[in-house]
Amino acid sequence: MRSATIKRKTKETEIEVSVNLDGTGVVEIATGIGFFDHMLDLLARHSRIDMTVKALGDLHIDFHHTTEDVGIALGQAVKQALGDMAGITRYASIHMPMDETLTRVVIDVSGRPMLVFRTTFTRDKIGEFDTELVREWFNAFAMNAGITLHVETLYGENAHHIAESCFKGLARALRTALAIDPRNKGEVPSTKGQLGG
């Protein structure tokens, strides 16, 4: 099975993340941030990645360190679980509707990290969660997973819907891109013969 566990401890956070890329979306999330837990829960369920995330952070300051560090650890876990990336589909593109909102997510599991994030929010907070942290999480995840990721909200009004369409879009794109393509016969899907360089 393609699985990995990452532990990360700093003066600001203590995080343990486990993933199984070939799972069914079994999820156990506890970050202390309700809205963030909701986003990670739907990320796991719609990607079908089994995921455990346990985080203790300096929430008395704000949610930034915990959100970013979970992105780092989760990205590292996905990268480790992928190994040499042999046999993966690699690319995926999806338009994710969430009521009045539509977000496009395009992914290349290339080993070359890049984030293009063209999403704006109609307000600064969703409950107590700063909406600017959505981009921070996506950046931390993409850089540490080693993926090229484009996220663009084409239109939308409700901030909760906008964030949810971004996370669900990523989930469905990951579900496709990380899947093993039987036609690849274990080959790395690159003319270079390797991904990441």
Side-chain angles (χ1 to χ4, degrees):
M1 288 193 305
R2 298 179 299 165
S3 60
T5 297
I6 295 292
K7 295 181 180 180
R8 174 182 172 85
K9 185 173 183 179
T10 72
K11 292 181 179 179
E12 299 164 341
T13 62
E14 185 173 348
I15 294 166
E16 183 173 345
V17 169
S18 296
V19 299
N20 172 11
L21 304 184
D22 301 306
T24 59
V26 174
V27 62
E28 183 182 347
I29 307 291
T31 69
I33 306 169
F35 179 76
F36 187 39
D37 286 359
H38 175 44
M39 294 298 104
L40 294 175
D41 180 75
L42 58 85
L43 175 68
R45 292 180 190 274
H46 288 279
S47 67
R48 308 306 286 173
I49 297 172
D50 291 347
M51 188 182 300
T52 300
V53 178
K54 298 176 183 177
L56 296 173
D58 53 3
L59 303 184
H60 62 287
I61 295 175
D62 65 9
F63 298 161
H64 187 285
H65 297 142
T66 300
T67 302
E68 183 177 35
D69 286 5
V70 167
I72 291 169
L74 192 57
Q76 290 173 347
V78 168
K79 184 175 183 177
Q80 183 174 311
L82 278 169
D84 65 1
M85 297 182 267
I88 64 168
T89 302
R90 180 176 169 178
Y91 297 101
S93 174
I94 186 145
H95 285 80
M96 178 56 65
M98 180 66 195
D99 295 349
E100 86 297 341
T101 297
L102 183 65
T103 296
R104 175 172 54 219
V105 178
V106 184
I107 191 171
D108 175 10
V109 184
S110 60
R112 297 186 306 275
M114 170 65 68
L115 175 68
V116 176
F117 193 82
R118 294 181 177 169
T119 293
T120 56
F121 288 91
T122 54
R123 63 180 199 251
D124 294 335
K125 288 184 178 290
I126 302 169
E128 297 180 347
F129 188 82
D130 296 314
T131 52
E132 68 181 14
L133 294 181
V134 174
R135 187 191 188 286
E136 291 299 320
W137 183 88
F138 271 81
N139 187 65
F141 177 77
M143 293 302 114
N144 287 275
I147 62 176
T148 296
L149 179 59
H150 293 249
V151 180
E152 183 176 16
T153 299
L154 303 178
Y155 45 82
E157 298 175 7
N158 182 288
H160 188 130
H161 295 167
I162 292 169
E164 190 161 331
S165 69
C166 292
F167 276 90
K168 280 184 176 175
L170 173 62
R172 295 299 295 204
L174 285 171
R175 183 172 175 172
T176 298
L178 301 184
I180 298 298
D181 183 347
R183 294 173 297 175
N184 283 351
K185 298 180 181 178
E187 295 178 2
V188 174
S190 172
T191 55
K192 297 177 182 178
Q194 68 179 40
L195 289 169

